[in-house]
């Protein structure tokens, strides 16, 4: 059993693959072995997390996830912990493994109750074994058992930390979204710390969408079973390798990035040059050799005195054929007429914000975008969920309900690398499993951090990384910079850009 940390790349398996791995292992092992291992591991982690618990509440569902909880209850009771189990199952009606664990818990005199213990405190522990990978999407036709709803709410509001078995209950393993009717009330984060002990495999849900808040710290126990030949459906990104810099190198060795964007105040009364300057600053601090900025402000800003390293250029003075171009940040409406030239000429291109919105509204630009791959031109799109929805002709909820699928669809439709931003950004390229980024936090929910990411992707593309590696590495470093932010100090995009490591 080990804690999953963002430094190391790790394979992720979907529900179907996890089932196949489980079935193959169960066929080789004596009956009930996997559940006994799962329950023993859960009890071990529970003891490590709450060694001084006065009370442990184990909420057990009707299936085998509940069976893991019953098995853990037996071990914790045997170790002398005061355990209370609430169980949604019925003796004689549970799946065979869960029935066996219920019998073992019952024989060990585990205390069963109809309601959770009322007096849990921060030193106590809740174990969430209500639902695991057997959860189906649910929906209007399937009203959840009122006890299930009440216990999910009690887990969400408990002052005691929660250890989820396999998955936080209600979360769909493949998407990181809640099944119908099982999301926590409101958008409130859980009251206490969360841990999840993932069994056999790591599932995508733990790292994207609603999953990061729900899962908290993720642990993995493989139950002594290797995934065999089962291919992962996605990867959790690890730390990118540091960029080696030869002594005998010069600024030309690390590439030129040109940022095109920043509609001026004069055009429509909406000054957006800050977005382009933030992207440029990120490219600079991300290690680009030279950074050029073409502000779309009719030449009004001749110099950024705060960042004199930036070279301001008129768009028509850029030699697009030899540049890595970051296009769109704060581009407003002014960026649209420039896109045909940018899409045709730039050998390496990052498209963000208003460039994406312009492309979403124009089928001719979409064709131009998809044609780039055949010419060997590299492209990275960095949409947030609304921009992704516009590009795909969907709504934001549909994109968020299937984040991995949406990122893959974007990559395949436009034959490029797509970064679907949000909690657990997804990076996809055609024909390969996508990667989920494990770094970053809600401090990034502030204006300009997306521009910083686009600029950093540009710097990594310019320095010679493959488009997918440039995008995945940039997401990781961008999130890591936010994770290291000093407590109590507000994160601003310009300060974030200055903290980026190359
Ligand atoms: N069979 C085994 O030996 C093993 C099972 N394991 C555990 O078993 C879990 C999978 O067990 P199951 O396949 O029994 O499934 P679960 O226990 O995850 O869930 C099945 C139950 O959820 C209910 N349910 C499904 N969708 C619902 C919805 N939308 N709303 C309300 N209720 C819903 C079903 O009616 C069923 O009662 C894993 O996550 C893992 O925790 C592990 O211990 C590994 C070994
Ligand atoms: K669970």
């Amino acid at each position: 059993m080990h804690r999953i940390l963002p430094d190391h790349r790790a394979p992720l398996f979907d529900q179907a693959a996890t089932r196949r791995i489980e079935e193959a292992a169960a066929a080789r092992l004596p009956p009930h072995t996997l559940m006994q291992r799962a329950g023993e591991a859960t009890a071990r982690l529970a003891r490590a997390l709450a060694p001084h618990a006065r009370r442990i509440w184990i909420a057990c569902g009707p299936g085998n996830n509940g069976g893991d909880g019953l098995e853990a209850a037996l071990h914790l009771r045997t170790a002398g912990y005061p355990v209370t189990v609430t169980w949604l199952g019925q003796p004689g009606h549970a799946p065979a493994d869960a029935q066996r664990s219920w019998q073992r818990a019952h024989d060990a005199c585990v205390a069963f109750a109809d309601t959770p213990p009322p007096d849990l405190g921060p030193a106590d522990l809740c174990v969430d074994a209500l639902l695991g990978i057997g959860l189906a999407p649910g929906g209007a036709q399937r009203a959840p058992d009122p006890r299930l709803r009440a216990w999910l709410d009690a887990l969400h509001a408990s002052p005691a930390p929660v250890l989820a078995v396999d998955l936080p209950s209600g979360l769909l393993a493949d998407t990181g979204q809640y099944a119908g009717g099982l999301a926590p009330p409101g958008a409130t984060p859980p009251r206490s710390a969360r841990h999840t002990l993932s069994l056999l495999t790591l599932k995508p849900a733990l790292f994207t969408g609603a999953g990061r808040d729900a899962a908290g710290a993720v642990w993995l126990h493989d139950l002594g079973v290797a995934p065999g030949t089962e291919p992962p459906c996605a990867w959790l990104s690890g730390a990118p390798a540091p960029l080696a810099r030869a002594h005998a190198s010069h600024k030309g060795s690390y590439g030129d990035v040109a940022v095109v964007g920043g509609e001026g105040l004069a055009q429509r009364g909406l000054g957006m040059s800050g977005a382009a300057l933030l992207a440029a600053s990120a490219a600079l601090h991300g290690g680009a050799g030279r950074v050029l900025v073409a502000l779309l402000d009719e030449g009004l800003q001749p110099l950024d005195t705060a960042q004199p390293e930036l070279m301001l250029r008129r768009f028509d003075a850029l030699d697009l054929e030899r540049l890595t171009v970051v296009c769109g940040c704060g581009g407003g409406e002014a960026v649209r007429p420039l896109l045909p030239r940018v899409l045709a000429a730039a050998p390496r291109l990052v498209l963000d914000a208003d460039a994406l919105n312009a492309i979403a509204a124009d089928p001719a630009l979409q064709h131009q975008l998809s044609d780039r791959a055949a010419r060997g031109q590299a492209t990275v799109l960095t949409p947030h969920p609304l921009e992704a929805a516009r590009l795909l002709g969907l709504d934001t909820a549909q994109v968020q309900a299937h984040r991995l699928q949406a990122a893959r669809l974007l990559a395949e439709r436009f034959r490029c690398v797509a970064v679907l931003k949000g909690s657990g950004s997804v990076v996809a390229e055609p024909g390969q499993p996508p990667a989920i980024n494990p770094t970053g936090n809600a401090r990034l929910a502030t204006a300009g951090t997306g521009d910083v990411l686009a600029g950093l992707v540009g710097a990594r593309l310019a320095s010679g990384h493959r488009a997918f590696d440039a995008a995945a590495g940039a997401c990781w470093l961008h999130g890591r910079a936010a994770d290291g932010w000093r407590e109590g100090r507000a994160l601003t995009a310009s300060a974030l850009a200055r903290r980026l490591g190359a």
Side-chain angles (χ1 to χ4, degrees), residues 195-219:
H195 293 263
T196 297
L197 174 58
S198 197
L199 300 169
L200 286 171
T201 62
L202 291 173
K203 292 90 184 164
L206 301 170
F207 304 102
T208 198
R212 292 188 73 198
D213 284 322
V218 177
W219 303 73

Side-chain angles (χ1 to χ4, degrees), residues 353-376:
D354 293 319
L356 298 174
N357 292 333
I359 291 168
D362 187 338
L365 292 178
Q366 291 171 25
H367 281 124
Q368 249 200 298
L369 170 57
S370 328
D371 288 347
R372 286 175 51 80
R375 293 197 295 270

Side-chain angles (χ1 to χ4, degrees), residues 124-316:
D124 297 329
L125 185 73
C126 306
V127 176
D128 163 14
L130 288 168
L131 299 163
I133 62 165
L135 178 68
Q141 70 284 6
R142 176 168 198 153
D145 182 323
R147 288 175 303 164
L148 172 62
R149 182 69 267 175
W151 298 352
L152 286 171
D153 290 349
L155 289 169
H156 189 71
S158 176
V162 175
L163 167 59
V165 182
D166 209 14
L167 276 169
S169 294
L171 208 62
L172 292 160
D174 296 350
T175 64
Q177 296 304 302
Y178 284 100
L182 299 185
T188 52
R191 185 170 163 200
S192 55
R194 306 280 120 166
H195 293 263
T196 297
L197 174 58
S198 197
L199 300 169
L200 286 171
T201 62
L202 291 173
K203 292 90 184 164
L206 301 170
F207 304 102
T208 198
R212 292 188 73 198
D213 284 322
V218 177
W219 303 73
L220 172 66
H221 196 302
D222 67 6
L223 305 183
V225 174
T229 55
E230 201 62 59
C233 69
W235 288 86
L236 193 64
S237 293
L243 204 59
R245 286 194 171 224
H247 287 292
S249 63
H250 55 88
K251 65 188 177 211
S253 315
Y254 304 104
D256 291 348
V257 173
V259 177
V260 177
E263 186 180 287
L265 189 60
Q267 278 113 313
R268 292 182 299 145
L270 306 171
M272 296 186 280
S273 44
L277 293 172
L278 283 168
S281 174
L284 206 56
H285 291 95
R290 299 194 311 163
V291 182
L292 319 176
V293 190
L295 292 177
L296 310 180
D297 69 347
E298 295 166 346
L300 285 176
Q301 180 161 337
L303 176 71
D304 180 356
T305 47
Q307 304 183 89
E309 306 90 338
L310 300 180
M311 303 174 206
L312 294 192
R313 295 283 189 275
R314 268 204 336 257
F315 176 72
D316 58 11

